[in-house]
Amino acid sequence: MEGNQSWITEFILVGFQLSEDMELLLSVFFFLLYIFNLLANSMILGLICLDLRLHSPMYYFLSHLAIIDMSYPSSNLPNMLDNLVKHKKTISFDSCIMQILFSLTFGSIECLILVVMSYDRYVAICHPLQYTVIMNWRLCTVLAITSWACGFSLALVQVILLLRLPFCGPQKVNHFFCDIRSVLKVACGDTWINEISLFADGVFILVAPISLVLVSYVRILWAVLKIQSMEGRKKAFSTCSSHLCVVGFYFGIAMIVYMVPDNTKREEQLKILFLFYTLFNPLLNPLVYSLRNAQVKAAFYRVLQINRTL
């Protein structure tokens, strides 16, 4: 068999079986969502940079989250939109590998940043007097750099393991972008090492972090219930519920996609989940943190007033 193998130079992304008119309509809808995502996250990032009142650990990590939520869809949506408009479904081998690297990198980093944010809320509510001492800027910088370094390193390992496999056909990847699990299905070699490595990554990036988040929020809930003033309790619940909402959506979808055993009958449902994960999940952060956060809304109004005076 090895003598007959020939390396492929491109993949065919099967995506969704739709008519050309429907593909054009979806491309417009997806493009608008993508632009709205970029604008909304850019607004959050801009407000955090411009307003000195938002120069705190919580918003420092939120700025990293905004960067990730702009970067993750940017790693795969432009190619998908191009394919929908031109009614083609091909992607070069090199572009496919880069898509896998970037999507795994930004997905892993977001998991770690969300854990760091939950730790920040835990310290703020459970140890308010020591908050500025514990969450100093040196620790915040170390946590952010570590999250980015770990996310990239884990993704790079997966890509290196993927590149050792021969791809001799078929070229069809049953997805709308190069997801690593879908690409592994068209590899000619034995993928058991890749599957074990992906599962181990899932435990490290998804199971362990969500466990830490849940432990943090149990401690936070217990501390909030001890707060005497109703206003203080309401403020704590508002801040934590926003973060918990984002965490629930993000980790819930990610665990269904990557931790549940593969099943050919679930492929179409998984593609829809991936679409939600790519298009709608990055919009949750600016919507949740702007609509439910009084400090962000106040910063937005202050920026508007400055612009009017100028």
Side-chain angles (χ1 to χ4, degrees):
M1 288 292 292
E2 289 184 5
N4 295 326
Q5 286 182 358
S6 59
W7 288 88
I8 61 175
T9 58
E10 65 179 16
F11 291 109
I12 299 171
L13 300 174
V14 175
F16 299 101
Q17 302 301 316
L18 302 168
S19 64
E20 291 189 357
D21 291 338
M22 183 58 71
E23 285 185 343
L24 281 174
L25 184 64
L26 284 177
S27 67
V28 173
F29 177 64
F30 293 161
F31 177 74
L32 291 175
L33 282 178
Y34 177 54
I35 294 299
F36 183 67
N37 167 46
L38 294 180
L39 291 174
N41 280 292
S42 296
M43 182 194 73
I44 293 290
L45 191 61
L47 288 175
I48 293 170
C49 292
L50 293 172
D51 198 302
L52 293 177
R53 293 177 179 85
L54 299 183
H55 289 187
S56 65
M58 175 183 171
Y59 296 103
Y60 172 71
F61 295 123
L62 183 58
S63 67
H64 283 269
L65 210 57
I67 293 170
I68 295 163
D69 284 334
M70 288 188 286
S71 303
Y72 181 81
S74 297
S75 66
N76 50 56
L77 267 179
N79 180 262
M80 185 183 78
L81 292 172
D82 183 60
N83 287 352
L84 287 172
V85 171
K86 296 180 180 178
H87 309 298
K88 67 182 184 70
K89 298 184 177 183
T90 57
I91 183 171
S92 68
F93 184 85
D94 293 338
S95 297
C96 185
I97 296 300
M98 293 306 294
Q99 267 195 8
I100 292 171
L101 177 63
F102 286 131
S103 62
L104 287 177
T105 296
F106 295 124
S108 300
I109 295 169
E110 181 152 4
C111 290
L112 298 173
I113 290 292
L114 287 172
V115 175
V116 171
M117 289 179 72
S118 70
Y119 175 70
D120 172 71
R121 291 302 83 205
Y122 163 73
V123 175
I125 293 172
C126 297
H127 303 284
L129 298 178
Q130 292 85 31
Y131 179 72
T132 54
V133 177
I134 297 173
M135 296 303 295
N136 57 71
W137 283 111
R138 181 181 178 182
L139 177 64
C140 292
T141 304
V142 169
L143 289 173
I145 292 173
T146 303
S147 298
W148 282 84
C150 284
F152 177 74
S153 300
L154 291 170
L156 188 62
V157 169
Q158 295 298 334
V159 169
I160 291 171
L161 290 175
L162 180 67
L163 288 174
R164 73 181 179 83
L165 298 171
F167 290 90
C168 53
Q171 296 172 274
K172 290 186 177 181
V173 175
N174 191 17
H175 218 294
F176 57 86
F177 81 101
C178 283
D179 169 58
I180 189 166
R181 293 186 71 178
S182 299
V183 173
L184 281 174
K185 291 177 183 177
V186 300
C188 299
D190 193 351
T191 61
W192 69 272
I193 294 178
N194 302 74
E195 297 290 348
I196 291 173
S197 180
L198 273 175
F199 183 80
D201 268 8
V203 172
F204 179 74
I205 288 294
L206 296 173
V207 178
I210 194 63
S211 301
L212 292 173
V213 169
L214 290 175
V215 169
S216 297
Y217 274 97
V218 168
R219 299 284 299 273
I220 287 171
L221 180 62
W222 184 252
V224 168
L225 292 174
K226 291 181 178 179
I227 296 175
Q228 297 297 323
S229 69
M230 185 61 69
E231 186 179 345
R233 192 182 300 180
K234 184 180 177 182
K235 183 179 178 182
F237 266 124
S238 177
T239 304
C240 294
S241 62
S242 300
H243 183 246
L244 202 56
C245 175
V246 173
V247 168
F249 273 106
Y250 188 85
F251 280 95
I253 296 174
M255 291 183 77
I256 292 172
V257 169
Y258 286 107
M259 299 299 293
V260 176
D262 208 3
N263 188 342
T264 53
K265 294 180 181 179
R266 295 175 57 249
E267 285 183 343
E268 294 304 314
Q269 290 89 337
L270 285 177
K271 280 192 278 187
I272 294 171
L273 277 177
F274 257 109
L275 202 58
F276 184 89
Y277 193 74
T278 305
L279 286 168
F280 296 100
N281 202 61
L283 285 171
L284 281 177
N285 292 331
L287 289 175
V288 167
Y289 285 107
S290 60
L291 294 177
R292 292 180 58 86
N293 192 298
Q295 285 181 293
V296 173
K297 286 190 284 188
F300 180 70
Y301 293 135
R302 282 194 294 270
V303 170
L304 286 180
Q305 287 175 356
I306 292 171
N307 288 335
R308 284 174 184 173
T309 55
L310 293 175

